[in-house]
Structure formats: structure tokens, C-alpha cells
């Protein structure tokens, strides 16, 4: 993989560069002390991961992300917790609060690697009716790959389908959705949540980490879920 580091603080860039080298996950590491220079570079070059600070002169990290024409794998690295919710609304992979440890950095890199590999598999594998759903998005029906679904959440008379691209709020019942999902991929962990088993990162007590989201699991469902997972 390749990555770029964008931060106007030299010490922060130095730490990130060291972490990137230490992980041995990257073939190329470039540093930018200016978000405008980074934006210009991104217009001409493909980057696997962008480590991005928020508070920078001329163009903030958040504004840089909003200005990008296509999706970018962004890991925010900042001392400000204020923008975390907004960052994830724009599909940031992770949000690291300075000063962060090497272990926390590795978790973000591993998550990014997983998403990149998943995208490559989806692109290489022809999509057919068995691995996709059509969901209503405004006035049109959108083809949605099964693997792109993180989890489904009940919200009154609607269900919210959480994906990496966006959320799809559709008028339906959980029972109707569950019947259309392959049981080998999805599991109803709570009366209000169905999760994609492939996207569960960890389980702690009654909480599942599903990609960047926390999803509750009922006590009655936990043992059944563990039987389906490869627990050693």
C-alpha cells in the first residue's frame, strides 16, 4: 500500500512516518505540511490511505475531504474530538486522537487494509442476484452488494441499512429484510439489529464493534452468535 501524511506540525508528521515504517504495511510514504499541496497531489495520484490532520491553514482537513471528487480512505489524526461525528458521516475509516499509541495506529491500518481488500474482491467478483439487493433511494432502485452492508437497524416503521457508501432508510419490517438476507452472512443479534458477520471486528460484553459502529447484542442471542463464529 501507499499513503500520504498531511499535517502542518513537523513532530506529528515525524511520529506518523515512524509508525508507518514500523508497521511495514506501506511501500510508499509521503509527507505534506500543507493541505493544499496534498489536495493537488491527490488530484493526480491514487493513494491507499490518507492520514489527515484537521486544523491546518488555508484548507482544513475536513474541507480537503469534502473537496475530493471521489472516495478516499481517510484516517483523521487530530487533537480535537469535536469533529469525530462529522468525520464518520463522511466515511472516515478511523479517527485518532493525538497523542495516540502505535497499537491504536495499527488498529486503524488493519481496518483500512480490510476495507481495501474487501473492495478489491467485490470489484473482481461479478455481482449476481444472489449477492445483491435492490433498495429504494429516492425515486430509483439502487443495486447494493451484500458484502457492503454493515448492519440493519430497526427505526419504527422503517429500517436503516448501514453501508460504507451511505445509509438507506426504507419503509419495511425487520422480518421482511431478514427473509431476503443470506443466513450464512447475517445474524439477528437484537430485536432491532441484524449484523453482517463478516464485519464484526470484536465483541465485548453486550457490545459488538461492527466496522466503526457499536451495536448491542441481547443476552439471549450472544451464545447463539458465538456458535456461528470461529471462536478458539
Amino acid at each position: 500500500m501507499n499513503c500520504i501524511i498531511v499535517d502542518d506540525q513537523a513532530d506529528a508528521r515525524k511520529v506518523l512516518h515512524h509508525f508507518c515504517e514500523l508497521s511495514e504495511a506501506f511501500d510508499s510514504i509521503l509527507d505534506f505540511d500543507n493541505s493544499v499541496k496534498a489536495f493537488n497531489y491527490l488530484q493526480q495520484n491514487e493513494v491507499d490511505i490518507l492520514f489527515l490532520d484537521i486544523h491546518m491553514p488555508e484548507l482544513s482537513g475536513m474541507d480537503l475531504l469534502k473537496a475530493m471528487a471521489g472516495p478516499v480512505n481517510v484516517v483523521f489524526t487530530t487533537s480535537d474530538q469535536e469533529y469525530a461525528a462529522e468525520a464518520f458521516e463522511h466515511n472516515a475509516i478511523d479517527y485518532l486522537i493525538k497523542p495516540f499509541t502505535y497499537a491504536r495506529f495499527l488498529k486503524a491500518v488493519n481496518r483500512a487494509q480490510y476495507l481495501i481488500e474487501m473492495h478489491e474482491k467485490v470489484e473482481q467478483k461479478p455481482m449476481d442476484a444472489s449477492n445483491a439487493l435492490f433498495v429504494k433511494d429516492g425515486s430509483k432502485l439502487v443495486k447494493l452488494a451484500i458484502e457492503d452492508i454493515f448492519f440493519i437497524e430497526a427505526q419504527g416503521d422503517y429500517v436503516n441499512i448501514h453501508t460504507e457508501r451511505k445509509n438507506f432508510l426504507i419503509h419495511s419490517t425487520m422480518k421482511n429484510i431478514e427473509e431476503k438476507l443470506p443466513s450464512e452472512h447475517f445474524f439477528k443479534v437484537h430485536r432491532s439489529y441484524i449484523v453482517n458477520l463478516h464485519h464484526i471486528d470484536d465483541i465485548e460484553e453486550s457490545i459488538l464493534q461492527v466496522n466503526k459502529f457499536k451495536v448491542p447484542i441481547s443476552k439471549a442471542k450472544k451464545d447463539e452468535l458465538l456458535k456461528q463464529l470461529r471462536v478458539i
Side-chain angles (χ1 to χ4, degrees):
M1 294 193 302
N2 62 1
C3 73
I4 66 172
I5 298 165
V6 188
D7 199 310
D8 59 335
Q9 297 179 349
D11 288 345
R13 293 196 307 274
K14 185 176 180 180
V15 169
L16 264 173
H17 200 110
H18 173 64
F19 282 178
C20 288
E21 290 180 335
L22 200 62
S23 72
E24 298 185 352
F26 302 101
D27 303 313
S28 172
I29 308 165
L30 293 179
D31 298 0
F32 291 91
D33 62 0
N34 183 293
S35 53
V36 175
K37 294 177 184 176
F39 178 79
N40 292 334
Y41 178 85
L42 288 165
Q43 296 302 102
Q44 304 294 328
N45 300 274
E46 291 187 3
V47 172
D48 292 316
I49 304 179
L50 169 60
F51 294 102
L52 184 61
D53 187 23
I54 288 182
H55 296 293
M56 290 181 287
E58 284 103 25
L59 185 70
S60 74
M62 194 65 69
D63 287 337
L64 186 154
L65 178 59
K66 293 176 183 177
M68 295 300 299
V72 184
N73 295 320
V74 174
V75 174
F76 279 104
T77 59
T78 177
S79 56
D80 194 340
Q81 300 186 42
E82 179 183 349
Y83 297 93
E86 184 179 358
F88 288 125
E89 285 177 4
H90 290 284
N91 296 320
I93 289 175
D94 213 331
Y95 195 91
L96 305 184
I97 302 296
K98 299 174 183 176
F100 46 85
T101 64
Y102 177 61
R104 183 65 184 86
F105 165 84
L106 273 185
K107 185 174 182 179
V109 171
N110 288 338
R111 181 173 294 173
Q113 284 180 307
Y114 171 79
L115 290 174
I116 291 169
E117 290 171 3
M118 184 184 72
H119 289 162
E120 290 176 348
K121 288 178 181 178
V122 169
E123 289 176 357
Q124 293 168 3
K125 184 178 180 180
M127 189 182 293
D128 56 37
S130 65
N131 59 27
L133 296 173
F134 279 88
V135 298
K136 192 169 183 180
D137 186 20
S139 61
K140 61 184 178 180
L141 290 174
V142 178
K143 197 172 190 179
L144 181 61
I146 292 294
E147 277 300 313
D148 287 347
I149 300 174
F150 294 147
F151 67 95
I152 297 99
E153 177 184 8
Q155 294 184 350
D157 294 330
Y158 293 81
V159 295
N160 197 352
I161 302 177
H162 294 256
T163 77
E164 184 185 356
R165 267 192 300 163
K166 61 181 291 186
N167 294 348
F168 296 90
L169 189 66
I170 60 175
H171 190 273
S172 183
T173 64
M174 290 291 273
K175 182 179 179 181
N176 181 49
I177 293 294
E178 189 174 13
E179 289 173 351
K180 291 179 170 59
L181 295 171
S183 58
E184 66 270 21
H185 290 286
F186 291 87
F187 185 81
K188 191 174 184 181
V189 297
H190 186 280
R191 64 182 180 182
S192 299
Y193 293 90
I194 299 172
V195 302
N196 188 333
L197 298 174
H198 293 175
H199 288 297
I200 297 176
D201 291 327
D202 57 61
I203 305 171
E204 185 173 358
E205 300 297 336
S206 60
I207 298 295
L208 305 178
Q209 185 73 40
V210 182
N211 193 265
K212 58 187 177 241
F213 305 95
K214 294 187 183 299
V215 176
I217 179 171
S218 67
K219 291 182 179 179
K221 291 287 188 176
K222 187 173 181 180
D223 287 343
E224 190 178 346
L225 172 65
L226 294 177
K227 289 178 182 178
Q228 292 206 25
L229 301 176
R230 294 178 180 177
V231 179
I232 57 174

